[in-house]
Amino acid sequence: MTTTLRLPEPRPGSRILSVGTYRPARVVTNDELAPRIDSSDEWIRERTGIVERRFASPDESVADMALAAAGKALANAGVSPEQIGMVLLASVTHPYQTPAASTEVADRLGAHNAGAIDVGAACAGFCYSLALADTIVRTGTSEHVLVIGVEKLTDFVSLDDRGASFIFADGAGAVVVGPSDHPGIGPVVWGADGAQKDAITMTQSWVEYRDEPGDVYPVLTMQGQAVFRWAVGEISKVCQQALEAAGITADDLVAFVPHQANMRITDAMVRALKLPEHVVVARDIATAGNTSAASVPLALERVLESGDLPRGGLALLVGFGAGLAYAAQVVELP
Ligand code: UT7
């Protein structure tokens, strides 16, 4: 006789209950960065749309920033730390190989009933984690999941790198995902093209650095044009697939919140998707720079603050970057 295992009661859906963010205090202008890379405020604005960005202070860690954003998200949701069943922390800049930053964040938050893992899908990390959170809640595994996107890219980008120093920045954004009586997070369309793994990578592995140290410890390096072409060519298709998977069209959207990689990439995607005028487009990159895993929740907060958007209105989210990994889904706004 076989025994059938019991599973938790599944739920009809999950949704984002709240958003919380942390933007470091120090504002860094293009003029401050330009002299080191023979650039200018004008070039950086024109090629990226970035006017300024935030840099964390030296004593501010990935876990510190994650904690600040997560605390606000929990308060905004009216959910206590003990109610969280899982902490998913998306980041590629936690400077310890192990343990995961999420374990420290869960402990410092008081989320003592939660599992905790880090998700290393770079700029797609938040959207990947959101899809996992949706699955965790819908399967009845946990009632509430905390999803955090956080980066301190200034620890892993050289200020002398002409192809990257002016793009990347620091910050954190978090959401609480909880139960819903209908789907509030649509199906994810995700993937990765590992054949292009060298398009955004590190200058050395830690082992190579140990055996033959370079001038600086391993930092991020990017083939900007290749990534730009891939993003414009492929990610609009991924966005379209996410709309179709959710059973909607661009007309049904109230907001578009893409990873804040480059304003020109956002503009190209808006054109390719033929987004109607009424769709509010997140353009947080102008003042936040590219914060990798943190950029989608930071931009989501900006859109919620700035627009007169209805609760429950539909927003298309998409993350894409190193890997090359990508993930997109339609969500109801909190
Ligand atoms: O978040 C992960 C995903 N990341 C992305 O999606 C980033 C995608 N890539 C980009 O955003 C862009 O490729 C960059 C902003 C990184 C670079 O912009 P670009 O328009 O692709 O510049 P480019 O490399 O094609 O260079 C164009 C020109 C060149 O001069 P010439 O040969 O036309 O005379 C470069 O030498 O701009 C010059 N250049 C610069 N000039 C001033 C390149 N970098 C700089 C610079 N300042 N920092």
Side-chain angles (χ1 to χ4, degrees):
M1 197 181 97
T2 55
T3 308
T4 305
L5 297 180
R6 194 170 57 206
L7 289 174
E9 198 58 41
R11 298 189 172 91
S14 80
R15 67 186 177 91
I16 297 175
L17 302 179
S18 65
V19 185
T21 63
Y22 176 74
R23 297 174 192 268
R26 186 158 112 72
V27 175
V28 177
T29 62
N30 293 335
D31 280 333
E32 185 176 337
L33 300 177
R36 276 180 83 148
I37 51 172
D38 185 22
S39 189
S40 65
D41 175 47
E42 190 191 0
W43 190 93
I44 296 169
R45 282 183 196 231
E46 216 167 78
R47 305 307 285 178
T48 67
I50 298 172
V51 176
E52 61 188 33
R53 75 285 288 143
R54 303 289 181 110
F55 281 8
S57 63
D59 60 354
E60 222 166 14
S61 72
V62 161
D64 293 338
M65 293 194 286
L67 196 69
K72 288 185 201 163
L74 286 171
N76 290 342
V79 169
S80 72
E82 294 80 12
Q83 288 175 275
I84 296 295
M86 174 59 83
V87 177
L88 297 173
L89 185 147
S91 185
V92 290
T93 49
H94 176 52
Y96 286 80
Q97 203 86 34
T98 196
S102 51
T103 60
E104 178 185 338
V105 173
D107 178 59
R108 286 170 64 189
L109 263 182
H112 300 303
N113 300 315
I117 51 170
D118 287 7
V119 177
C123 307
F126 178 82
C127 293
Y128 264 85
S129 302
L130 191 61
L132 297 175
D134 168 55
T135 305
I136 289 168
V137 172
R138 272 194 298 109
T139 54
T141 305
S142 298
E143 196 169 353
H144 294 97
V145 178
L146 181 60
V147 179
I148 307 166
V150 53
E151 301 290 3
K152 191 178 178 189
L153 282 148
T154 49
D155 276 343
F156 292 100
V157 173
S158 165
L159 288 176
D160 296 317
D161 183 346
R162 200 162 186 246
S165 79
F166 56 95
I167 292 195
F168 293 111
D170 305 331
V175 301
V176 177
V177 175
S180 169
D181 60 9
H182 64 276
I185 298 177
V188 68
V189 175
W190 56 16
D193 180 6
Q196 297 197 68
K197 69 179 174 55
D198 294 333
I200 307 176
T201 185
M202 305 301 287
T203 47
Q204 283 185 302
S205 75
W206 289 112
V207 174
E208 286 163 346
Y209 181 70
R210 180 197 64 198
D211 294 343
E212 204 172 326
D215 294 340
V216 290
Y217 61 87
V219 288
L220 205 143
T221 176
M222 177 170 69
Q223 295 166 17
Q225 279 192 12
V227 178
F228 193 101
R229 276 197 300 272
W230 169 79
V232 169
E234 298 304 316
I235 301 304
S236 309
K237 293 182 213 158
V238 171
C239 289
Q240 191 58 48
Q241 288 163 14
L243 294 177
E244 284 160 21
I248 67 163
T249 70
D251 287 338
D252 299 312
L253 293 173
V254 300
F256 176 47
V257 186
H259 166 49
Q260 304 291 290
N262 183 318
M263 198 76 89
R264 290 190 294 133
I265 294 177
T266 298
D267 290 338
M269 289 197 286
V270 167
R271 283 193 298 273
L273 288 166
K274 297 188 172 64
L275 290 188
E277 284 286 312
H278 73 262
V279 177
V280 174
V281 178
R283 297 186 182 282
D284 192 41
I285 192 170
T287 53
N290 178 337
T291 56
S292 189
S295 92
V296 170
L298 282 170
L300 179 61
E301 182 219 38
R302 194 67 94 197
V303 155
L304 289 170
E305 269 180 0
S306 63
D308 189 14
L309 298 176
R311 187 183 151 90
L314 299 179
L316 172 62
L317 313 184
V318 61
F320 52 90
L324 294 173
Y326 56 86
Q329 66 265 94
V330 177
V331 303
E332 284 188 359
L333 291 173

